[in-house]
Amino acid sequence: ETGVTQSPTHLIKTRGQQVTLRCSSQSGHNTVSWYQQALGQGPQFIFQYYREEENGRGNFPPRFSGLQFPNYSSELNVNALELDDSALYLCASSLLTGRRQETQYFGPGTRLLVL
Amino acid sequence: AQKITQTQPGMFVQEKEAVTLDCTYDTSDPSYGLFWYKQPSSGEMIFLIYQGSYDQQNATEGRYSLNFQKARKSANLVISASQLGDSAMYFCAMREANNAGNMLTFGGGTRLMVKP
């Protein structure tokens, strides 16, 4: 096990609702990255948080937003849910020192179903 | 163009035999890293092995080794002595030094099935 935890494990929402997913990073890590994995595809990068600020973003609309807390845990918020948001959401933590980032270690994921 | 290409959607291997999973990549960044992750049906992505673009030696981690051919832009994963527990999806991923957020770009994955 990596020490990265995510909650909840499963979630069912309806279109238009809002959802918050949570991630606790591995001890000693200071960055959290979020990925969306649609069924049958590889994960797609949403964004990364470092020092409580967004440190890079993939091709996702602004209704995907996040937070990082002083203890390095993180939240992913998705507003105005769409059917295509149904996916496995993975968070990954890593250590960033200067420009060097170590390997990203993933949590077990949250499976979101939007009806 | 696809940054990471995994051309084998599914593969079978006999238990105790070796298997090679293919990965080709596309980047103009001279500094990059290549990763392999295993994803069992439970969903968690498990880190297996890493190869840096400037590493002179091919990476090895236990039964996993990476056949890195920089000129051909390929980074194939070799699993020796396959075990039933190796049945899973395998993803190749790349991190480019100039990408904001140190993002990983993943391929589409290969499903490996180990036969007893």
Side-chain angles (χ1 to χ4, degrees):
Chain A
E1 291 190 2
T2 62
V4 180
T5 61
Q6 292 186 243
S7 63
T9 56
H10 296 81
L11 203 52
I12 300 175
K13 292 285 189 178
T14 55
R15 196 169 47 181
Q17 286 189 311
Q18 178 265 344
V19 69
T20 297
L21 311 181
R22 295 177 175 83
C23 173
S24 291
S25 60
Q26 183 172 316
S27 177
H29 286 178
N30 57 10
T31 73
V32 174
S33 302
W34 287 92
Y35 293 81
Q36 180 196 66
Q37 186 178 19
L39 196 62
Q41 298 181 22
Q44 298 281 323
F45 176 73
I46 303 175
F47 43 54
Q48 182 182 79
Y49 275 82
Y50 170 63
R51 291 185 173 177
E52 302 177 48
E53 291 189 359
E54 190 178 286
N55 186 41
R57 189 179 185 92
N59 190 26
F60 280 81
R63 59 189 186 84
F64 286 78
S65 63
L67 287 172
Q68 186 182 32
F69 300 100
N71 66 353
Y72 306 117
S73 66
S74 176
E75 287 182 354
L76 164 65
N77 299 290
V78 187
N79 293 322
L81 283 167
E82 301 177 359
L83 298 180
D84 285 349
D85 295 333
S86 295
L88 177 67
Y89 288 84
L90 295 161
C91 84
S93 77
S94 59
L95 177 64
L96 180 63
T97 53
R99 291 190 62 191
R100 177 179 173 83
Q101 181 173 54
E102 306 296 332
T103 297
Q104 294 184 27
Y105 292 91
F106 285 80
T110 294
R111 293 188 187 274
L112 172 65
L113 177 62
V114 182
L115 301 175
Chain B
Q2 292 276 5
K3 290 260 188 180
I4 297 285
T5 302
Q6 295 181 253
T7 57
Q8 307 151 313
M11 288 193 69
F12 283 96
V13 64
Q14 198 68 39
E15 191 179 10
K16 299 181 185 176
E17 292 186 349
V19 62
T20 297
L21 306 183
D22 295 341
C23 172
T24 58
Y25 59 92
D26 182 28
T27 181
S28 57
D29 195 330
S31 178
Y32 54 90
L34 297 157
F35 300 79
W36 277 91
Y37 286 86
K38 171 185 177 181
Q39 187 176 42
S41 56
S42 59
E44 183 172 354
M45 299 286 281
I46 301 168
F47 166 70
L48 297 178
I49 197 166
Y50 165 79
Q51 180 85 43
S53 58
Y54 294 119
D55 293 345
Q56 295 297 312
Q57 305 269 7
N58 284 347
T60 61
E61 289 284 351
R63 295 187 299 112
Y64 304 107
S65 60
L66 204 151
N67 183 3
F68 181 45
Q69 297 187 45
K70 194 170 182 177
R72 295 181 60 190
K73 293 188 174 179
S74 75
N76 298 338
L77 176 70
V78 181
I79 305 174
S80 63
S82 296
Q83 300 172 357
L84 296 179
D86 293 335
S87 294
M89 285 292 293
Y90 288 81
F91 289 94
C92 179
M94 177 171 63
R95 182 183 67 214
E96 297 164 283
N98 291 326
N99 267 352
N102 300 291
M103 60 180 277
L104 291 176
T105 302
F106 285 84
T110 295
R111 180 172 297 281
L112 178 66
M113 291 152 282
V114 181
K115 298 185 290 185

